[in-house]
Amino acid sequence: RALQFVGRDGIGAPVVLTRATLFVDKARLFPNCTFVVGADTVARLVDPVYYGNSAAEMAASLASIRAQGCDFLVAGRLVEGEYTT
């Protein structure tokens, strides 16, 4: 999948692979970066169910990501037959 980021000139955007599963951990590893994700991933990122059903834990995690200087570039996705952005 990483080859999709190689441009026509043979030069691509930097791609980093990691085993870190949580974005809060990725933000600590790669401060000041932009994570490119799909709309389906963002839906999970802001769903408290993934934080032990705690909106406070979700907010703390997002604040920690932001404190590392990271942000998200969200791509639309086809989800259950509907294009979601």
Side-chain angles (χ1 to χ4, degrees):
R1 290 181 80 177
L3 289 177
Q4 68 184 320
F5 297 100
V6 175
R8 290 187 181 129
D9 57 4
I11 300 172
V15 174
V16 178
L17 304 177
T18 176
R19 292 185 189 266
T21 56
L22 302 175
F23 279 102
V24 68
D25 296 331
K26 294 173 189 181
R28 288 185 194 114
L29 290 170
F30 310 107
N32 302 308
C33 77
T34 298
F35 298 111
V36 180
V37 298
D40 55 327
T41 298
V42 168
R44 291 188 301 275
L45 189 66
V46 296
D47 188 343
V49 74
Y50 293 98
Y51 303 88
N53 286 317
S54 171
E57 287 295 322
M58 178 196 66
S61 179
L62 294 174
S64 178
I65 293 168
R66 187 66 187 140
Q68 292 295 327
C70 297
D71 55 15
F72 294 89
L73 174 63
V74 182
R77 291 280 182 129
L78 190 61
V79 178
E80 297 178 10
E82 185 175 321
Y83 190 74
T84 305
T85 59

